[in-house]
């Protein structure tokens, strides 16, 4: 139920944003809004969305890690089982915090994750599993099937390498422009020209570029 609804809403928001901003739209959509009630409400709703999503997905991930690290106490309600669960949860949260601050640019973070994971999941894994299955049932692939499957594998590897390289290059470029990991990165957060020049202009306020340096 949630999947089609989310796809529809994301598609609607993306189309509306592209209609108003075009190619100048920011990768993080809320950066296209000026300061004001709409920005505050959207930020609050996004915060709630992220918290709920992290709790749901984080519980699944913590459960998997707990089973891997301590399978005999995964369902243990004693103090040791609870302590292990708390340690796993803290580890996942700390790791998420480090990643979010190491790559503080939303569009590059999603691009890097997509470049690293989508080709293996959507291209490489299905092809390799299909080849493995045909081998297990003793039905060898024809030459034309090998050509298609190996072409898909080559394309997936190329896509993964090029996408990752480009995102890393852009990431390093942004580090040198906006600051290294764990820096302030206050762009777009505070209503001052030093931090939020474009957002103030989106809000219909004064033109920061008219202020003498």
């Amino acid at each position: 139920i949630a999947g089609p609804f989310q796809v529809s809403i994301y598609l609607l928001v993306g189309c509306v944003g592209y209609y108003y901003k075009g190619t100048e739209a920011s990768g993080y959509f809320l950066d296209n809004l000026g300061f004001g009630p709409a920005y505050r409400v959207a930020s609050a709703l996004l915060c709630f969305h992220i918290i709920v999503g992290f709790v749901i997905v984080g519980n699944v991930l913590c459960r998997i890690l707990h089973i891997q690290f301590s399978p005999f106490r995964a369902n243990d309600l004693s103090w040791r089982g609870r302590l292990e669960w708390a340690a796993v949860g803290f580890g996942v949260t700390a790791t998420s915090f480090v990643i979010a601050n190491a790559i503080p640019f939303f569009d590059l973070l999603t691009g890097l994750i997509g470049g690293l994971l989508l080709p293996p999941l959507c291209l490489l894994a299905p092809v390799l599993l299909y080849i493995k299955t045909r081998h297990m049932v003793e039905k060898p692939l024809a030459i034309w099937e090998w050509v298609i499957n190996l072409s898909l594998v080559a394309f997936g590897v190329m896509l993964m390498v090029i996408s990752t390289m480009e995102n890393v290059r852009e990431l390093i470029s942004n580090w040198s422009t906006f600051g290294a990991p764990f820096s302030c990165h206050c762009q777009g957060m505070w209503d001052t020209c030093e931090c939020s020049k474009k957002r103030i202009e989106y809000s219909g306020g004064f033109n920061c570029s008219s202020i003498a340096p």
Side-chain angles (χ1 to χ4, degrees):
I1 297 176
F5 175 77
Q6 286 182 327
V7 170
S8 301
I9 295 299
Y10 289 170
L11 184 61
L12 175 63
V13 172
C15 291
V16 172
Y18 185 78
Y19 174 80
Y20 283 101
K21 293 295 181 180
T23 57
E24 297 180 358
S26 172
Y28 178 59
F29 190 78
L30 293 190
D31 284 343
N32 301 300
L33 299 177
F35 290 108
Y39 173 63
R40 295 189 182 94
V41 171
S43 297
L45 293 175
L46 181 60
C47 179
F48 177 75
H49 171 71
I50 295 299
I51 290 174
V52 173
F54 186 82
V55 169
I56 295 174
V57 178
N59 268 286
V60 177
L61 178 59
C62 289
R63 174 70 176 176
I64 294 173
L65 294 175
H66 197 182
I67 292 175
Q68 291 296 321
F69 293 143
S70 182
F72 299 107
R73 291 191 173 86
N75 298 312
D76 189 1
L77 298 180
S78 66
W79 66 270
R80 181 164 180 174
R82 294 176 185 272
L83 185 62
E84 289 179 355
W85 173 257
V88 172
F90 177 80
V92 170
T93 304
T95 303
S96 303
F97 174 81
V98 171
I99 294 175
N101 283 275
I103 311 177
F105 311 105
F106 180 79
D107 51 342
L108 292 182
L109 177 59
T110 56
L112 185 60
I113 294 174
L116 282 173
L117 299 181
L118 284 183
L121 291 175
C122 298
L123 287 174
L124 302 183
V127 171
L128 296 177
L129 290 174
Y130 175 73
I131 295 175
K132 178 65 175 178
T133 302
R134 289 288 296 267
H135 176 74
M136 292 173 62
V137 298
E138 298 181 351
K139 290 185 178 180
L141 276 70
I143 295 178
W144 65 270
E145 290 179 305
W146 276 112
V147 172
I148 293 176
N149 285 299
L150 291 180
S151 299
L152 289 173
V153 170
F155 177 72
V157 172
M158 180 185 67
L159 184 63
M160 181 175 61
V161 172
I162 294 177
S163 175
T164 302
M165 289 177 59
E166 177 61 22
N167 278 285
V168 170
R169 185 197 64 79
E170 189 70 21
L171 183 63
I172 295 174
S173 175
N174 281 2
W175 280 347
S176 61
T177 302
F178 300 108
F182 296 95
S183 298
C184 177
H185 294 285
C186 68
Q187 294 82 14
M189 294 179 60
W190 309 108
D191 55 351
T192 63
C193 287
E194 292 78 8
C195 291
S196 311
K197 176 181 176 181
K198 289 186 177 181
R199 176 159 288 166
I200 290 177
E201 294 177 356
Y202 292 160
S203 305
F206 56 87
N207 186 358
C208 290
S209 60
S210 65
I211 301 176

